[in-house]
Amino acid sequence: MTTRPLPTADDTRAFGEALAAELRAGDLVILTGGLGAGKTTLTQGVAAGLGVRGPITSPTFVIARIHPSLGQGPALVHADAYRLGGIAELDDLDLDTSLEDSVTVVEWGHGVADELSDDRLEIVLRADPETEVRTAQIIGHGDRWKAGVSC
């Protein structure tokens, strides 16, 4: 587990772009954090790094969006579990059918999307209430992430 400061939205996007360089098809990233913590901003950086078709906006009302690759890399599946009642409703989205071929990012996925893969990266975004500076706590699960991330 590592913690990284993200003082600005640009820093959050840059972290997402750097993270994308470490991601490959089949990877699951779960983003946790309060409203306005930077989950979608981080995903915008991942999308830029993967080179997928955008725009990347919060999927809250559509639940999931697929962003195809503009090159040879994997597509990005961007989902939001905020309005879902649990793993059964997430299963109804059939995310596991595209999991092997895409990078999947699930906002609000803690406790819901964990069962999609034993190998997953969880990023907890927090803002200091006094300074409003954000941090990202990066937690790797499974063999794929036991060495952590280098970005």
Side-chain angles (χ1 to χ4, degrees), residues 55-131:
I56 307 302
T57 59
S58 178
T60 299
F61 296 104
V62 295
I63 310 298
R65 287 191 175 97
I66 298 173
H67 299 276
S69 175
L70 295 172
Q72 300 300 314
L76 171 66
V77 176
H78 183 202
D80 188 322
Y82 184 75
R83 298 190 186 286
L84 299 180
I87 188 66
E89 288 184 24
L90 187 64
D91 279 343
D92 289 343
L93 296 177
D94 287 329
L95 290 181
D96 53 344
T97 61
S98 58
L99 199 60
E100 291 181 21
D101 301 322
S102 306
V103 169
T104 302
V105 175
V106 182
E107 295 187 24
W108 301 97
H110 180 78
V112 178
D114 305 31
E115 294 182 29
L116 288 174
S117 178
D118 291 335
D119 292 311
R120 64 192 179 280
L121 197 59
E122 183 169 1
I123 301 174
V124 180
L125 297 163
R126 292 189 176 96
D128 182 296
E130 292 180 20
T131 65

Side-chain angles (χ1 to χ4, degrees), residues 17-43:
E17 196 164 344
L19 177 63
E22 298 188 43
L23 297 173
R24 62 181 186 224
D27 284 341
L28 172 63
V29 180
I30 296 174
L31 302 180
T32 302
L35 290 171
K39 296 178 295 296
T40 300
T41 302
L42 179 61
T43 305

